[in-house]
Amino acid sequence: MVEAKSLKSVFFSSLKLKSQESCLIVTDTIKESIGRDFYNYASSITPFSKIIVIEPTKEHSSEPPEEVAQEMLKFEVQLLITAKSLTHTKARRDASAKGRRIATMPGVTEDICNRCLGIDYAKL
């Protein structure tokens, strides 16, 4: 389980999610438990949270399903928590072009989250 300290750091220090904003978590069946930890925390901040679980892509930079790409255009804050990277996809680029704040976390593990994310960014 991802620790609350790490989740809080991501949502408040990095992404600056506000209660009136929308938040989308895109995860795959491999990273779903981590994705759900982030979704549950986001839901405690804003009622406009959604999680989408996809099948893992075969390789890095493979496009997510079209319906996911369309959803990415709608949400202000997004986390892409998948085994293979969605960073260099048209879907991510299109969402970024619309001003969406996106954190991609390909291959992330609970250990990485708990050791590396719950830091004091101001001090860093």
Side-chain angles (χ1 to χ4, degrees), residues 12 28 38 42 45 48 53 58 60 66 93 98 108-109:
F12 290 108
D28 59 28
F38 278 88
I45 299 168
F48 311 109
V53 181
K58 295 198 184 304
H60 295 292
E66 181 58 30
R93 288 191 306 274
K98 287 193 69 143
V108 74
T109 65

Side-chain angles (χ1 to χ4, degrees), residues 22 24 42 46 49 59 69 74 76 83-84 96-97 102-103 106 119 124:
S22 58
L24 175 66
T46 177
S49 297
E59 57 190 26
K74 300 174 188 175
E76 294 155 303
K84 302 288 184 182
S96 291
I102 303 172
I119 62 171
L124 178 65

Side-chain angles (χ1 to χ4, degrees), residues 97-117:
K98 287 193 69 143
R100 306 315 184 214
R101 299 191 309 278
I102 303 172
T104 64
M105 303 168 86
V108 74
T109 65
E110 287 179 9
D111 180 58
I112 290 170
C113 289
N114 293 332
R115 281 186 307 107
C116 303
L117 298 180

Side-chain angles (χ1 to χ4, degrees), residues 28-122:
D28 59 28
T29 56
I30 295 171
K31 298 295 176 182
E32 185 173 357
S33 65
I34 297 170
R36 289 207 180 272
D37 288 342
F38 278 88
Y39 168 73
N40 291 333
Y41 199 88
S43 294
S44 74
I45 299 168
T46 177
F48 311 109
S49 297
K50 181 176 183 175
I51 186 169
I52 299 175
V53 181
I54 62 174
E55 289 300 316
T57 58
K58 295 198 184 304
E59 57 190 26
H60 295 292
S61 301
S62 293
E63 293 295 327
E66 181 58 30
E67 58 273 11
V68 174
Q70 291 303 310
E71 287 294 292
M72 289 172 65
L73 298 173
K74 300 174 188 175
F75 287 79
E76 294 155 303
V77 174
Q78 301 173 33
L79 285 105
L80 311 180
I81 303 169
T82 52
K84 302 288 184 182
S85 179
L86 299 176
T87 305
H88 301 288
T89 61
K90 181 179 184 310
R92 198 277 312 150
R93 288 191 306 274
D94 289 349
S96 291
K98 287 193 69 143
R100 306 315 184 214
R101 299 191 309 278
I102 303 172
T104 64
M105 303 168 86
V108 74
T109 65
E110 287 179 9
D111 180 58
I112 290 170
C113 289
N114 293 332
R115 281 186 307 107
C116 303
L117 298 180
I119 62 171
D120 180 344
Y121 287 94

